[in-house]
Amino acid sequence: MPNIPLRDILIIARQESVQMRHHYIGVEHLFLALLQIQGGLLSLILEKNGLSAEYVADTLRRKMERGSSQRLWVGIPYTPRAEVVLDIANDVMLDNGNDEVTERDLLHAIFIEHDSLPIRVFQSMKANLVALKEAVLTLTPSNEAILSSTAITFGEAFDRNANIPREHLFVLRKMFASHASIRIERNLTGFRREALIVVVTPIQADNREDAPVVAKIDQKDSILDEVQRYETYVRSILPLQTARLEENPTVPDASELAGVKYSLVANVGDIPQDLRQRTRTHGTTGLGRLLQHELYEQFRKTWWQQKRAYRFQVWKEYDWLLPPILTLDYVPDREPPPNAHHIKIPFNRPKLKSRLKDEIQFGDIVVLENFTVQKVDRQQDLLKLGIGYGSEADKRAYRMDVRGVHLARSSFYRGEVIERIIGRVMRTRNDVLLQAVRDLQPPFDPRTRWVTLGEHRLPNPLLAYEDLLDRHLNGSMSRIHGDLHLGNILIGPNNRIWLIDFGNTRDGHTLFDWANLEISLLGDALMPSLGDEWKTVEEVLDSLIWLNSDLPMPSMNDEVFTAIASITAVREVVHECLTTKDNWYEYFVALTLCALRAVTWDSMSLGGRRLMFMVAGLALLELNRKYLNTPSHTPPIDEGELTDHLPTPVSGDGSRLTSSGSGTGSRAALPATAPLNPEPQETPERALGEDEKLLLLQAIEPAPPESTELSKPVDPDEPPPTPKEPIP
Amino acid sequence: MKGTLEVMIMSGVEDGLPLNYSIENGDGELTHEGQRWVIRIGRREDSDVCLRNDTFVSRVHAYIIWERERWWLEDNNSTNGTYVANGDLDARVQGTIPINPGDLFRIGHTWMRIQPVTE
């Protein structure tokens, strides 16, 4: 009994449509899809009536003119007639007491409707339509009908709740077209986008199983970008036994998606899992040893131990992590009003920074010039722009998101430089971050200089990140993975470690990977098992403070203890990778910004995000502690200067930010915001007076004077550059 | 004069879309002292039959006309032409030709036909 469900037929129909540049699904596309089912009902019916499927398909295609390259509508809609046919098919299905439309129901519906192009083609062939319709109801193909040559089954470890979208299945079948079937063993959790990553066992026609591979399916340009990065940065330097990207990605014409395979050099039956999955059964036990002795040892020579001297301004490596600087609503191309703000690349960073802070407000018109397309997100209708194109982190800095461009109708591509695009300011980076922190329902006011959790008083990262981005670091550059978290590290039998997902691999700040890994250990592995309570966050914070100090060890439960042990292992790796021996400054800068980024992640648990915010604060505290430990004097804190750095919400999406306000007089004219008390709500200096450790909190460092690339940066915290390093 | 017309789109993204017109509702244009009813087909937004998704359609492409008790199809010197089905080849319409309900004709790339109004 043939039973090809409608959803599989629709995939083929959509393909047909896109290949002919029609971009709509009509009855003719559905019919062509039915013709492609090998051994299916339609082929059989035609055969019994002296027609071949190829002949009918060919005649039909000639009647369907190829569409033009212009698309005048959004998406791939059904024609009114296709909708009628699908409605009839649904009725037929219900009449037959079934719960899924099959090829027979659909074919029956096409004959009932009787007015579509395929029917007209039959008429022009003088085919006997009565006999054909009769055959739809009576004939049954003897063999199993096959839509695709590759069958898909699922292994035991596959999470049945994970629904793989059919378009992903379509690409997956294409990827394994030369195999009789595949078994999807496991879905990996290591993705934060729409990507699908699964472990697949390919099975030959004679039922022989091949070694498992990892298949990744994602947006086309993401896959192609990853392949390119792999070629540039990874292929030549991988340790012998690790995941390798197979040479050619699968890029089907008719899909927005593409797929790549990572071969693992594994034995048949060795099904790897990612480390995040492992923590669900094993907790963080043994994780530190794995990271330090398997992962680091395997890769350090070609990756993190390259350590070329690299002095950089923090934003170049870390700005791209944070939310877009502006989120704009697209304004269709017209002459911008005279009071529009122009942001043109190249720009002067200090000037732009002060304009962003003081001039550009919610609702203003902004003209972006010479920005580069980073990503075209058709699903969310979001155009993501940055300052350049390339794998280096600074090319992705200064992200600007433009919404509502009707991307389905426009032809932007990744890497394209857009001469001019106009939009209305809906949100700033500060808005996004502040809202993310509000969503955590913090027991403190996220707009004050200090945040208090239990006994901990930490500097507020929301007020400090801007200055952090301006600082200069004496760091080092190595080849880095770029997105190292527990989900991207696979483990097989005998603790063999593989890395996957090279979509961000590049030459960059050496410590970035390890700061990310610490974030992942805390946020992905530890917090989900502990829960979301602030009280829990506080306890974990106790342990982390201990990690950074010489204080006696606080009491902690086993779970926290093993997690801290694995972080200790990460810190040992970091210690080896530090540019200047025992100077942790660069690490805590990285950790602050990585943690702050994670606060905005929907995919992280509430408890995880809560901890992330506090970790960012704690890392800031550490920074300042280092600062105080240098022999130089403690600069007094200028109240005014600090309040200047208050995130200034511009009342983005309607009213949810209306309770917030501006800390600077220059924005007094801001609409719909209540004035904010410019005084900090606490006087932490006094409260902390007796506690030596908390005294350190005062040292929120004012930003160093803006310096151009040519002048020697002024950063009292930084040790002078080593003589070997050229001063630019 | 009392008149109604149903045009059915027969190809393209709007395949299967029925469009109804009646003199009573003020559709089309009445001329010659009410003896001639004209329905305009074109890409322009104010066309009676507006084919905005077909770039091969001229702004004012063709007319469907009720006159002397029957339907006529008139091409308005369109760039890409008006055609009627004629076996495997399509025949280009020159000037005005008579058409019957059920006959398929093509405006640009879009096939359509006139048909009795469905109640």
Side-chain angles (χ1 to χ4, degrees):
Chain A
M1 183 70 192
N3 193 27
I4 304 289
L6 179 63
R7 57 170 189 273
D8 289 346
I9 296 168
L10 288 176
I11 294 168
I12 309 290
R14 195 183 140 129
Q15 271 230 286
E16 283 288 340
S17 169
V18 173
Q19 268 166 13
M20 299 189 82
R21 294 210 208 130
H22 285 155
H23 300 292
Y24 59 83
I25 295 182
V27 180
E28 56 273 26
H29 303 111
L30 297 173
F31 196 83
L32 282 173
L34 288 169
L35 282 170
Q36 285 180 35
I37 302 174
Q38 295 161 23
L41 183 58
L42 183 53
S43 315
L44 183 67
I45 291 167
L46 295 177
E47 203 178 300
K48 295 275 181 191
N49 284 274
L51 295 163
S52 80
E54 288 76 23
Y55 174 66
V56 174
D58 190 48
T59 315
L60 180 56
R61 281 208 181 89
R62 269 189 284 130
K63 287 277 180 194
M64 300 160 61
E65 276 169 84
R66 213 174 141 74
S68 70
S69 54
Q70 277 174 290
R71 285 178 71 176
L72 301 169
W73 54 85
V74 175
I76 301 191
Y78 293 110
T79 64
R81 193 181 307 283
E83 287 192 352
V84 168
V85 165
L86 290 172
D87 277 351
I88 298 174
N90 205 52
D91 291 344
V92 169
M93 168 201 82
L94 294 173
D95 287 348
N96 295 337
N98 296 327
D99 53 9
E100 192 170 40
V101 172
T102 63
E103 59 173 324
R104 189 191 300 273
D105 301 335
L106 182 59
L107 207 44
H108 194 183
I110 291 173
F111 278 96
I112 292 172
E113 197 271 344
H114 214 263
D115 203 16
S116 59
L117 184 58
I119 297 294
R120 297 209 295 277
V121 167
F122 278 133
Q123 285 164 341
S124 73
M125 288 173 175
K126 310 269 188 277
N128 184 343
L129 281 163
V130 178
L132 289 174
K133 186 175 174 184
E134 182 67 23
V136 172
L137 300 175
T138 53
L139 277 181
T140 298
S142 50
N143 299 325
E144 190 77 0
I146 310 166
L147 182 57
S148 156
S149 53
T150 308
I152 296 181
T153 58
F154 294 93
E156 277 172 23
F158 182 79
D159 175 5
R160 300 282 160 163
N161 296 324
N163 182 28
I164 301 184
R166 49 183 187 247
E167 191 156 350
H168 290 71
L169 283 177
F170 166 75
V171 177
L172 206 52
R173 284 197 168 101
K174 284 254 171 190
M175 291 170 73
F176 294 93
S178 60
H179 285 87
S181 67
I182 55 174
R183 189 171 59 239
I184 301 180
E185 305 285 2
R186 187 193 282 285
N187 31 0
L188 299 178
T189 56
F191 54 90
R192 295 197 165 106
R193 286 159 294 169
E194 308 80 36
L196 171 77
I197 306 180
V198 284
V199 182
V200 170
T201 298
I203 302 168
Q204 308 266 16
D206 57 2
N207 278 337
R208 200 157 43 83
E209 298 192 357
D210 288 349
V213 298
V214 172
K216 175 176 178 180
I217 294 162
D218 200 352
Q219 297 295 320
K220 232 174 232 180
D221 51 5
S222 302
I223 291 287
L224 294 176
D225 184 54
E226 177 170 354
V227 170
Q228 204 177 357
R229 284 175 192 255
Y230 179 82
E231 287 296 317
T232 315
Y233 295 110
V234 185
R235 198 164 70 111
S236 57
I237 58 158
L238 274 185
L240 266 179
Q241 297 194 330
T242 191
R244 269 150 213 288
L245 217 57
E246 291 202 356
E247 277 179 12
N248 294 317
T250 305
V251 190
D253 275 348
S255 177
E256 308 260 324
L257 303 177
V260 281
K261 292 181 222 173
Y262 303 88
S263 58
L264 298 173
V265 198
N267 296 320
V268 173
D270 286 356
I271 309 301
Q273 63 177 169
D274 65 63
L275 285 185
R276 197 185 304 168
Q277 283 167 337
R278 183 182 182 274
T279 61
R280 291 193 193 135
T281 47
H282 293 64
T284 48
T285 311
L287 215 48
R289 201 187 51 76
L290 279 174
L291 297 175
Q292 192 175 4
H293 297 296
E294 302 293 333
L295 177 66
Y296 179 65
E297 286 301 320
Q298 210 184 134
F299 286 90
R300 71 183 166 90
K301 274 191 187 142
T302 46
W303 290 39
W304 305 292
Q305 278 294 323
Q306 290 186 337
K307 289 173 65 178
R308 301 185 292 278
Y310 176 39
R311 182 171 176 84
F312 61 97
Q313 212 174 354
V314 173
W315 72 266
K316 290 203 171 187
E317 288 289 318
Y318 290 94
D319 182 89
W320 71 276
L321 293 181
L322 298 177
I325 291 197
L326 295 175
T327 303
L328 305 174
D329 262 3
Y330 178 63
V331 175
D333 209 9
R334 59 175 173 84
E335 278 308 302
N339 60 347
H341 305 280
H342 289 254
I343 303 178
K344 184 174 185 172
I345 292 173
F347 50 72
N348 173 315
R349 176 175 160 82
K351 268 191 196 159
L352 178 60
K353 190 180 154 192
S354 83
R355 281 174 64 207
L356 282 166
K357 200 171 68 153
D358 297 330
E359 292 171 23
I360 299 178
Q361 304 184 359
F362 171 71
D364 282 1
I365 299 284
V366 169
V367 184
L368 300 179
E369 292 174 57
N370 298 339
F371 274 75
T372 302
V373 176
Q374 305 290 315
K375 192 171 178 190
V376 181
D377 186 340
R378 291 202 162 77
Q379 261 150 6
Q380 297 185 49
D381 207 7
L382 206 59
L383 191 61
K384 298 183 177 178
L385 308 174
I387 56 176
Y389 182 63
S391 52
E392 300 90 345
D394 63 334
K395 299 291 198 301
R396 295 163 69 183
Y398 283 90
R399 199 175 118 197
M400 302 277 181
D401 281 5
V402 186
R403 309 187 302 198
V405 188
H406 294 299
L407 291 169
R409 294 172 60 165
S410 39
S411 56
F412 292 112
Y413 58 91
R414 187 171 179 146
E416 178 181 2
V417 177
I418 301 183
E419 224 168 279
R420 192 170 91 159
I421 190 165
I422 306 174
R424 191 180 296 278
V425 178
M426 300 312 289
R427 268 199 298 271
T428 64
R429 174 178 279 175
N430 279 338
D431 294 339
V432 177
L433 286 171
L434 184 58
Q435 189 57 45
V437 177
R438 288 219 165 109
D439 290 345
L440 306 179
Q441 295 172 308
F444 46 79
D445 183 340
R447 288 169 296 145
T448 50
R449 286 171 46 206
W450 311 97
V451 293
T452 311
L453 182 65
E455 296 184 351
H456 307 297
R457 282 167 191 274
L458 301 175
N460 184 348
L462 291 183
L463 306 192
Y465 75 86
E466 277 284 5
D467 292 333
L468 220 48
L469 291 173
D470 278 333
R471 298 201 192 174
H472 288 78
L473 279 187
N474 281 325
S476 71
M477 179 187 275
S478 300
R479 196 139 295 179
I480 57 174
H481 178 273
D483 193 15
L484 195 64
H485 56 76
L486 296 178
N488 277 338
I489 305 170
L490 304 190
I491 180 167
N494 303 323
N495 287 340
R496 180 183 286 174
I497 292 277
W498 297 283
L499 286 179
I500 57 166
D501 192 353
F502 302 106
N504 285 298
T505 301
R506 63 179 185 272
D507 287 333
H509 186 206
T510 307
L511 300 184
F512 176 72
D513 276 346
W514 295 90
N516 255 341
L517 205 48
E518 178 167 339
I519 295 303
S520 182
L521 278 167
L522 291 170
D524 297 334
L526 177 62
M527 287 312 283
S529 66
L530 294 182
D532 294 334
E533 296 303 316
W534 279 108
K535 190 73 199 152
T536 313
V537 171
E538 196 185 326
E539 285 161 17
V540 175
L541 210 54
D542 279 335
S543 314
L544 286 171
I545 285 174
W546 167 75
L547 190 69
N548 295 335
S549 72
D550 309 324
L551 300 171
M553 189 172 128
S555 65
M556 49 180 107
N557 73 30
D558 285 354
E559 270 177 283
V560 177
F561 183 80
T562 54
I564 294 293
S566 56
I567 287 176
T568 309
V570 167
R571 293 285 177 92
E572 278 172 24
V573 169
V574 171
H575 190 237
E576 269 188 53
C577 295
L578 291 175
T579 308
T580 312
K581 195 171 175 355
D582 293 331
N583 185 331
W584 288 77
Y585 184 85
E586 51 170 335
Y587 185 66
F588 287 118
V589 170
L591 195 61
T592 305
L593 293 164
C594 288
L596 189 57
R597 159 167 86 153
V599 172
T600 62
W601 276 339
D602 294 340
S603 56
M604 191 174 273
S605 71
L606 177 62
R609 283 176 285 140
R610 284 176 167 170
L611 180 63
M612 286 306 114
F613 186 71
M614 304 316 289
V615 165
L618 184 60
L620 272 175
L621 178 74
E622 293 299 327
L623 277 179
N624 298 324
R625 188 164 74 110
K626 297 282 172 196
Y627 178 74
L628 276 194
N629 283 349
T630 59
S632 65
H633 72 288
T634 307
I637 296 171
D638 177 347
E639 253 344 282
E641 174 126 5
L642 281 160
T643 48
D644 264 0
H645 301 143
L646 273 174
T648 311
V650 293
S651 146
D653 273 347
S655 61
R656 62 192 185 127
L657 292 171
T658 49
S659 66
S660 55
S662 159
T664 59
S666 61
R667 311 199 56 163
L670 208 60
T673 52
L676 176 81
N677 179 3
E679 295 300 321
Q681 305 205 340
E682 316 165 312
T683 47
E685 291 84 352
R686 184 156 304 138
L688 305 173
E690 293 114 34
D691 189 326
E692 183 204 342
K693 180 153 189 164
L694 292 177
L695 247 179
L696 308 172
L697 286 170
Q698 296 184 11
I700 291 187
E701 215 174 333
E706 292 296 348
S707 52
T708 67
E709 292 293 312
L710 292 172
S711 71
K712 188 173 171 182
V714 182
D715 193 340
D717 171 58
E718 283 289 281
T722 54
K724 263 184 270 177
E725 188 186 349
I727 297 170
Chain B
M1 185 172 148
K2 193 176 171 188
T4 55
L5 170 68
E6 181 165 293
V7 175
M8 170 78 85
I9 308 287
M10 295 301 287
S11 75
V13 67
E14 291 181 310
D15 179 26
L17 184 72
L19 301 162
N20 285 287
Y21 305 92
S22 81
I23 294 175
E24 275 186 326
N25 293 346
D27 299 325
E29 194 183 356
L30 271 182
T31 60
H32 295 72
E33 294 165 351
Q35 294 307 302
R36 181 180 156 100
W37 185 36
V38 181
I39 300 290
R40 270 174 308 172
I41 307 173
R43 215 177 64 234
R44 230 165 66 179
E45 287 293 324
D46 62 352
S47 307
D48 300 304
V49 180
C50 176
L51 299 172
R52 61 178 67 81
N53 292 318
D54 185 345
T55 51
F56 287 82
V57 174
S58 299
R59 274 164 300 203
V60 181
H61 193 111
Y63 306 101
I64 299 169
I65 301 159
W66 176 260
E67 193 176 23
R68 286 172 283 147
E69 298 301 309
R70 69 158 307 138
W71 292 104
W72 306 83
L73 177 64
E74 180 179 318
D75 181 66
N76 182 36
N77 290 324
S78 61
T79 315
N80 294 301
T82 301
Y83 295 82
V84 290
N86 178 26
D88 274 353
L89 294 170
D90 304 332
R92 183 156 186 168
V93 173
Q94 309 282 352
T96 310
I97 61 158
I99 50 161
N100 297 310
D103 290 350
L104 287 169
F105 57 93
R106 175 158 68 82
I107 305 288
H109 279 174
T110 307
W111 284 97
M112 59 183 69
R113 72 175 176 219
I114 60 171
Q115 56 190 37
V117 175
T118 47
E119 292 302 331

